Amino acid sequence: MPPTYSLGTPTIPSFPDWERRTPAGLEELAELVRQAASSRTPVYPIGGGTSLMYGGRPRGAGWAVSLQQLCRVVDYPARDLTITVEAGLPVADLQALLAQQGQRWAVDVPQPDRATVGGLVACNLSGPRRFAYGSVGESVLAATAVDGQGMIFSAGARVVKNAAGYNLCRLLAGSVGTLAVLAQLTLRVQPLPETTAFVVARLEDWDRTERVLAWLMQGRVLPTALELAAGPAWAADPLLGPLRPPAKGWLLVGLEGSAKQVAWQLAEIQSAWRQEGLREVQTFGPPQAELLWRRLTEFPVLPGWDDAEANGLPPSRPVSSRLQEERFLVAQASLLPGRVVGLVSRWLKMDAGVSVLAHAGHGSLIGYFPLSAMDGRRCIRELIFPSVEDQGGYAQVLLAPTDVPFAPTDLWSRSPAADPLMQALKRQFDPYGILNPGRWGFGVQ
Ligand SMILES: Cc1cc2nc3c(=O)[nH]c(=O)nc-3n(C[C@H](O)[C@H](O)[C@H](O)COP(=O)(O)OP(=O)(O)OC[C@H]3O[C@@H](n4cnc5c(N)ncnc54)[C@H](O)[C@@H]3O)c2cc1C
């Protein structure tokens, strides 16, 4: 029986038994939150249910408020490259609509058929394409939401150029539903690229890797993603596994654009890498490149990661048998891109079972840490967090086996100076503390 991954057992222990509320529209959602505020009932917003284990355990039973009926497209002026949709719209449905106009929302989403636009913005975790297109939060131009007293408010504007006032959209993105329930979002979208390719190199030493990455970031070529992959999870990968195993890892450069742009960049990169002495280089065009994008996006996803079955939803895809059998903790770090290689090398030295994916271009790392020989809490507090904080970075736990005891404050790097500010914001948006109580750290309950 594979272990389940979450921060509770399961994360929302009795989610199926909770009182489910499914408001039909914005006004009904606001009325529901007003009722919850007056009875001090916790409100847990639910999108597609794919990331309910992200963040701390919910504190006490309450209303599971499903956004599934808020799934309309409100406005789509395709020529402006913006779209306004309700928060419960599944990402795959949004992408299908945009594709009809040759456009897309340039985000990387595990399980897009279930994940919703609101859930994605609430978590604000980005994937490989962030290097070229910015974070999920940066693509949000406007939001309409309901605060913890049931008041409807709007932030931002439905236009790409807009700089008035505080940028509340950035505040709401990543607040994991603890400040407001997102009801409607205006997103900046992009033209669909004509084609895609990956160029992959085996890495034999870190010094050369640093030089190659520095060249790739100088701007002569414009990759969509710069990824470093290392460790046993990648050796089991159907595309990388058959290549000769590298001493250190693989560098994967993702390219998107017109066929001419992609071909030119491929030639430039191959020529630069030859001069640098990188001999073993492989290119992947579509459809293998599409598979690599998916693999890089779904790397953090473990089987059973979302308690799907416990929540009466279809199970998530298996990743590899090795990962199913072992107990892992999944952590993420954010730091300056120039420090990524040093941290990858440090994480790999912790244990032979550690696997890493670094979005090297924008300074984000995801690591799988096997807990067979390590106590989970010690692993995060004494090894992972210090390794990131020493580099001036910031760490968070994405997933942990259910038997690892964590408090919400264990899940994120602490920044004591910011706590009072966070608490003041929380009081302002949600004075009764009813929105996703327990989900967030920072002394904010
Ligand atoms: C290990 C891991 C790796 C991930 N990697 C990536 C990645 O590479 N790229 C990426 O883009 N995303 C990533 N994510 C995030 C994830 O893909 C999405 O954020 C997720 O799919 C959310 O969609 P959902 O509708 O399923 O949300 P749910 O699982 O239903 O909810 C997730 C959280 O958001 C809150 N929430 C949901 N809807 C709303 C709303 N309308 N208003 C307020 N709060 C709400 C919920 O209360 C809950 O706390 C990752 C998540 C995890 C746990």
Side-chain angles (χ1 to χ4, degrees), residues 45 47-52 108 110 115-116 119-120 122-123 125 176-177 182 300 436 439:
T50 65
S51 290
L52 295 177
D108 304 291
T116 61
L120 208 73
C123 294
L125 293 165
V176 211
L182 301 167
N436 259 345
R439 184 66 92 201

Side-chain angles (χ1 to χ4, degrees), residues 44-54 67 87 107-110 114-116 118-120 122-128 136 176-177 180-183 297 300-301 305 330 359 398-399 436 439:
Y44 298 104
I46 312 282
T50 65
S51 290
L52 295 177
M53 66 306 187
Y54 171 58
L67 275 291
V107 293
D108 304 291
V109 192
R114 277 184 35 210
T116 61
L120 208 73
C123 294
N124 195 25
L125 293 165
S126 300
V136 171
V176 211
V181 185
L182 301 167
T297 299
V301 183
W305 72 310
V330 185
H359 306 311
L398 291 180
L399 295 170
N436 259 345
R439 184 66 92 201

Side-chain angles (χ1 to χ4, degrees), residues 47 67 85-89 91 105 115-123 182-183 185:
L67 275 291
V85 298
E86 289 185 327
L89 185 71
V91 175
W105 186 25
T116 61
V117 173
L120 208 73
V121 173
C123 294
L182 301 167
L185 295 148

Side-chain angles (χ1 to χ4, degrees), residues 89-320:
L89 185 71
V91 175
D93 292 359
L94 170 67
Q95 299 290 29
L97 176 79
L98 292 169
Q100 290 171 16
Q101 300 295 326
Q103 296 178 352
R104 68 172 175 177
W105 186 25
V107 293
D108 304 291
V109 192
Q111 306 183 88
D113 40 344
R114 277 184 35 210
T116 61
V117 173
L120 208 73
V121 173
C123 294
N124 195 25
L125 293 165
S126 300
R129 289 183 176 89
R130 178 175 172 178
F131 180 54
Y133 299 105
S135 67
V136 171
E138 283 162 347
S139 71
V140 178
L141 300 172
T144 299
V146 175
D147 73 8
Q149 296 185 82
M151 198 174 79
I152 299 170
F153 67 96
S154 293
R158 290 187 194 175
V159 287
V160 173
K161 288 204 170 162
N162 163 50
Y166 292 115
N167 194 337
L168 281 189
C169 296
R170 296 280 171 89
L171 180 67
L172 296 174
S175 62
V176 211
T178 56
L179 297 180
V181 185
L182 301 167
Q184 193 173 293
L185 295 148
T186 300
L187 309 168
R188 186 179 55 215
V189 299
Q190 311 284 342
L192 265 175
E194 189 182 311
T195 192
T196 181
F198 267 91
V199 53
V200 177
R202 292 173 71 246
L203 299 173
E204 297 303 328
D205 72 86
W206 292 129
D207 288 344
R208 182 177 291 166
T209 307
E210 301 253 27
R211 286 198 300 275
V212 169
L213 279 172
W215 180 83
L216 285 163
M217 285 191 252
Q218 267 167 12
R220 180 165 172 79
V221 288
L222 296 173
T224 304
L226 296 181
E227 306 288 293
L228 278 181
W234 293 102
D237 185 85
L239 284 173
L240 300 183
L243 309 180
R244 198 159 70 84
K248 301 295 183 194
W250 288 274
L251 170 63
L252 301 96
V253 181
L255 302 168
E256 292 180 317
S258 69
K260 209 168 153 185
Q261 285 167 337
V262 169
W264 182 82
Q265 295 197 75
L266 272 177
E268 285 291 304
I269 293 169
Q270 283 166 326
S271 147
W273 285 5
R274 263 195 307 277
Q275 283 174 31
E276 186 52 69
L278 283 177
R279 299 274 165 244
E280 293 192 48
V281 173
Q282 178 128 359
T283 55
F284 296 95
Q288 283 169 317
E290 299 291 354
L291 284 177
L292 273 176
W293 283 115
R294 244 181 59 197
R295 182 73 181 97
L296 294 167
T297 299
E298 290 177 357
F299 173 71
V301 183
L302 288 162
W305 72 310
D306 55 2
D307 294 331
E309 281 171 275
N311 289 327
L313 298 163
S316 51
R317 282 178 283 272
V319 177
S320 87

Side-chain angles (χ1 to χ4, degrees), residues 352-366:
V354 172
S355 294
V356 178
L357 174 63
H359 306 311
H362 60 265
S364 168
L365 265 80
I366 296 160

Side-chain angles (χ1 to χ4, degrees), residues 329 331-335 339 342-344 346-347 350 365 369 374-397 406 409-414:
L329 185 147
Q332 194 209 12
S334 304
L335 74 174
R339 298 187 176 169
L343 188 59
V344 170
R346 189 161 163 188
W347 277 9
M350 285 182 190
L365 265 80
F369 298 87
M374 273 186 280
D375 162 71
R377 206 164 177 187
R378 222 198 102 223
C379 173
I380 192 82
R381 282 280 144 208
E382 293 176 23
L383 294 172
I384 302 172
F385 276 30
S387 69
V388 180
E389 288 161 3
D390 282 357
Q391 298 293 319
Y394 171 89
Q396 62 172 328
V397 176
F406 276 114
T409 43
D410 289 327
L411 303 176
W412 285 276
S413 286
R414 300 313 306 281

